[in-house]
């Protein structure tokens, strides 16, 4: 079988053995092979911005101590670095250079912080609900299981960098969760069978796809065994050709999930049991959350993943004084647990709990937008009011998880409406919390200056539906319609400035409703509404 160049490099030198060469590298002039090997040690450098370095720190289950976070703050201040929270509940240090990257890397190791296997072909940080084990609806605390799973692969030569591609794992033992995990390669979802709590397995998710039900149930004590079996099956049978086709999703697409379950059985020492009853309920977000012991948890919202170090220092002093537990969530926020009452001296950042944002162009050369700043173009007040989930990615790699949300956005640039300008792709209709399907592309290009108006008419249609959440609205009103018609409908709302209500009806009925409105640009032979949408887009968005 033909392998890609990264696999050929691994065959020559396994990533675990590269550590002996790290201190001899010319960090100011790295080649692509050296960059790959450094990623296995949590050191990121791009050929597009070779002068910049990043360190990504692994934080199992997002649980972090006061002393660890305090240490990171002091390191950040000493080296004038920026601190970011990732969408896998990890921390990144940005602003490093070839002169200081290894010095800081060694300093992290001295403080028992690991950056190992946080990039490239590895098991990435294993994630869970930020209220794991303490929420009233928590049935299985997963932190200990995550530590056992991590022990299987972390800093082990047979695993470091030796997967066909990156592998994301999630596990949730809490019924009511605000987070959602079906975009992971492997998701252990809370379930029960014959009176015993455990997990159903879902396999093959990624940024643009949802995981499939594998028809497997495991009890809590069997989770590490099952994780190792899945890991060995993927390592043994995973595709290693074209890099863009090597995720677990692509293997399942090729052989089918039933065959992969047979591969898992080769490495699993027990009998595989069929699925149990799934127990997942979508909880609404609240800054404060009452916990099982009567205390409260609080979500300190970051600026869409960017941490204000001064603000963090202030909050850390309070957590030490009050002896609070600290956790990091996949929503890129910090959680404080153990409050005696619903009161804290910290201001909230509007909308940050509802928007998952990628690093953006300030930190990533692949992004076309400065995502963390450009969230200012979103109607954050309405997004927060209606608890909408927004995924905001700076490129199609999808680090903002724009397929697993209510409204997905991908930044791009366009000259379709005059001079080259920032624009966005818009995705709608994601069913991400239980009945899972990815959001679909509806608008291929919306100029940045017009994005807020478009999102507001989408939210207005949701308001008019009186549905209890946007997922339900999408399921009943948007997803039965073609993406072309959904685009036509919302453009018509903007263009006609008429109070037209989106009813739960077939496409033909709704189309007849539109063409009766004066000034609607109707064309007799308009296949797929292309002429009408083209007229309205240019009338609305062309540079005047």
């Amino acid at each position: 079988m033909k392998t890609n160049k990264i696999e050929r490099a691994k065959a020559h030198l396994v990533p675990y053995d590269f550590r002996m060469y790290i201190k001899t590298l010319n960090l100011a002039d790295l080649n692509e092979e050296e960059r790959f090997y450094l990623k296995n040690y949590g050191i990121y450098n791009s050929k597009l911005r070779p002068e910049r370095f990043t360190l990504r720190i692994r934080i199992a289950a997002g649980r972090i101590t006061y002393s660890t976070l305090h240490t990171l703050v002091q390191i950040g201040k000493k080296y004038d670095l920026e601190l970011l929270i990732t969408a896998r509940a990890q921390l990144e240090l940005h602003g490093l250079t070839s002169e200081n990257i290894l010095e800081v890397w060694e300093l992290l190791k001295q403080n028992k912080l690991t950056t190992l296997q946080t990039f490239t072909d590895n098991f990435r940080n294993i994630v869970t609900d930020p209220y794991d084990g303490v929420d009233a609806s928590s049935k299985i605390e997963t932190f200990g299981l995550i530590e056992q799973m991590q022990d299987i692969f972390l800093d082990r030569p047979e695993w470091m960098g030796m997967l066909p591609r990156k592998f994301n794992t999630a596990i949730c033992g809490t019924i009511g969760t605000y987070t959602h995990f079906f975009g992971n390669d492997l998701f252990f979802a809370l379930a029960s069978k014959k009176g015993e709590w455990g997990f159903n397995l879902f396999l093959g998710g990624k940024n643009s796809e949802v995981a499939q039900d594998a028809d497997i149930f495991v009890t809590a004590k069997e989770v590490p065994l099952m994780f190792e079996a899945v890991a060995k099956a993927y390592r043994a049978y995973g595709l290693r050709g074209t890099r863009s086709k090597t995720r677990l999703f692509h293997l399942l697409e090729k052989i089918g999930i039933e065959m992969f379950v047979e591969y898992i059985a080769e490495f699993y020492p027990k009998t595989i049991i069929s699925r149990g009853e799934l127990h997942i309920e979508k909880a609404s977000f609240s800054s404060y959350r009452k916990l099982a012991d009567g205390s409260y948890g609080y979500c300190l919202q970051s600026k869409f993943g960017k941490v204000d170090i001064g603000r963090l220092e202030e909050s850390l002093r309070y957590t030490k004084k009050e002896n609070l537990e600290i956790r990091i969530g996949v929503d890129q926020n910090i959680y404080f647990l153990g409050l005696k009452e619903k009161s804290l001296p910290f201001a909230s950042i509007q909308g940050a709990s509802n928007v998952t944002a990628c690093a953006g162009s300030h930190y990533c050369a692949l992004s076309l937008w400065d995502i963390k700043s450009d969230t200012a173009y979103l109607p954050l007040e309405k997004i927060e009011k209606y608890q909408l989930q927004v995924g905001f990615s700076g490129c199609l790699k999808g680090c903002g998880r724009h397929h697993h949300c209510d409204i997905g956005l991908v930044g791009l640039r366009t000259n379709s409406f005059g001079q080259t300008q920032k624009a966005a792709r818009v995705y709608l209709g994601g069913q991400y919390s239980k009945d899972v399907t990815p959001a679909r592309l509806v608008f291929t290009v919306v100029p940045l200056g017009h994005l807020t108006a478009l999102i507001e008419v989408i939210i207005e249609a949701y308001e008019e539906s009186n549905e209890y959440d946007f997922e339900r609205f999408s399921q009943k009103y948007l997803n039965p319609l073609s993406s072309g018609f959904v685009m036509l409908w919302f453009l018509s709302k903007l263009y006609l400035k008429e109070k037209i209500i989106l009813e739960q009806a077939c496409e033909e009925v709704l189309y007849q409703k539109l063409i009766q409105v004066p000034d609607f640009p109707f064309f007799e032979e308009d296949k797929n509404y292309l002429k009408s949408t083209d007229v309205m887009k240019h009338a609305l968005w062309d540079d005047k």
Side-chain angles (χ1 to χ4, degrees), residues 405-453:
C405 59
D406 296 316
I407 300 173
L409 305 170
V410 177
L412 51 88
R413 293 184 184 274
T414 184
N415 60 4
S416 298
F417 305 100
Q419 294 184 344
T420 301
Q421 60 185 308
K422 285 182 178 180
R425 294 185 179 189
V426 179
Y427 295 73
L428 296 170
Q431 306 288 288
Y432 51 86
S433 65
K434 196 167 185 178
D435 301 316
V436 289
T437 54
R440 55 184 171 153
L441 177 62
V442 174
F443 288 86
T444 55
V445 55
V446 179
L448 174 59
H450 299 276
L451 186 59
T452 292

Side-chain angles (χ1 to χ4, degrees), residues 443 453-454 457-458 460 484-502 510-522 526 529 531-537 540-541:
F443 288 86
L454 174 64
V457 300
I458 293 169
E460 183 181 273
F485 186 81
V486 174
M487 176 171 62
L488 177 78
W489 183 269
F490 289 123
L491 278 173
S492 298
K493 295 253 307 178
L494 287 168
Y495 177 79
L496 298 170
K497 296 182 174 61
E498 293 281 344
K499 187 74 172 179
I500 46 176
I501 306 296
L502 180 61
L510 293 171
Y511 186 58
Q512 290 302 316
K513 182 177 179 178
L514 282 180
I515 65 177
Q516 301 305 315
V517 180
D519 299 325
F520 178 81
F522 174 68
D526 189 5
Y529 326 110
K531 288 184 179 180
S532 296
T533 56
D534 195 50
V535 167
M536 290 189 286
K537 282 191 292 186
L540 289 164
W541 299 336

Side-chain angles (χ1 to χ4, degrees), residues 476-477 480-481 503-507 509-510:
K476 292 174 66 174
Y477 289 82
L481 307 172
E503 299 168 349
Q504 198 176 348
C506 70
E507 200 163 297
V509 168
L510 293 171

Side-chain angles (χ1 to χ4, degrees), residues 8-106:
R8 293 193 292 273
K10 294 179 197 176
H12 175 69
L13 177 70
V14 297
Y16 184 88
D17 291 338
F18 186 75
R19 61 189 66 200
M20 67 181 72
Y21 300 108
I22 291 176
K23 292 184 180 179
T24 68
L25 295 173
N26 179 2
L27 295 171
D29 187 24
L30 295 168
N31 60 42
E32 281 306 287
E33 189 172 290
E34 290 167 336
R35 287 190 173 95
F36 161 73
Y37 280 110
L38 284 173
K39 287 177 187 176
N40 290 280
Y41 295 86
I43 300 170
Y44 178 80
N45 174 255
S46 165
K47 67 179 179 181
L48 298 174
R49 291 179 182 169
E51 75 284 357
R52 296 188 184 186
F53 283 80
T54 296
L55 280 170
R56 180 179 287 171
I57 301 149
R58 179 181 289 275
I59 302 169
R63 297 205 189 185
I64 190 166
T65 64
Y66 163 84
S67 60
T68 297
L69 198 49
H70 178 73
T71 296
L72 284 172
V73 166
Q74 298 311 308
I75 291 172
K77 289 172 65 177
K78 178 179 178 180
Y79 292 91
D80 193 24
L81 307 177
E82 291 185 278
L83 190 63
L84 263 63
I85 302 174
T86 77
R88 295 206 69 76
Q90 299 171 114
L91 292 171
E92 288 181 344
L93 291 173
H94 287 260
L96 293 150
T97 68
S98 58
E99 286 78 25
N100 63 17
I101 179 68
L102 293 186
E103 182 180 336
V104 175
W105 184 57
E106 289 291 345

Side-chain angles (χ1 to χ4, degrees), residues 155-192:
D155 202 18
R156 297 186 183 275
E158 68 272 28
W159 289 113
M160 180 180 278
M162 298 305 288
L163 296 176
R165 206 71 164 87
K166 72 175 181 179
F167 195 97
N168 290 333
T169 306
I171 180 169
C172 184
T174 301
I175 294 175
T177 178
Y178 174 69
T179 51
H180 46 90
F181 302 108
F182 287 98
N184 285 269
D185 295 272
L186 169 59
F187 174 33
F188 292 92
L190 183 66
S192 64

Side-chain angles (χ1 to χ4, degrees), residues 2-13 33 37 240:
K2 187 176 180 181
T3 58
N4 59 62
K5 63 181 180 181
I6 294 298
E7 292 301 327
R8 293 193 292 273
K10 294 179 197 176
H12 175 69
L13 177 70
E33 189 172 290
Y37 280 110
R240 296 180 184 266

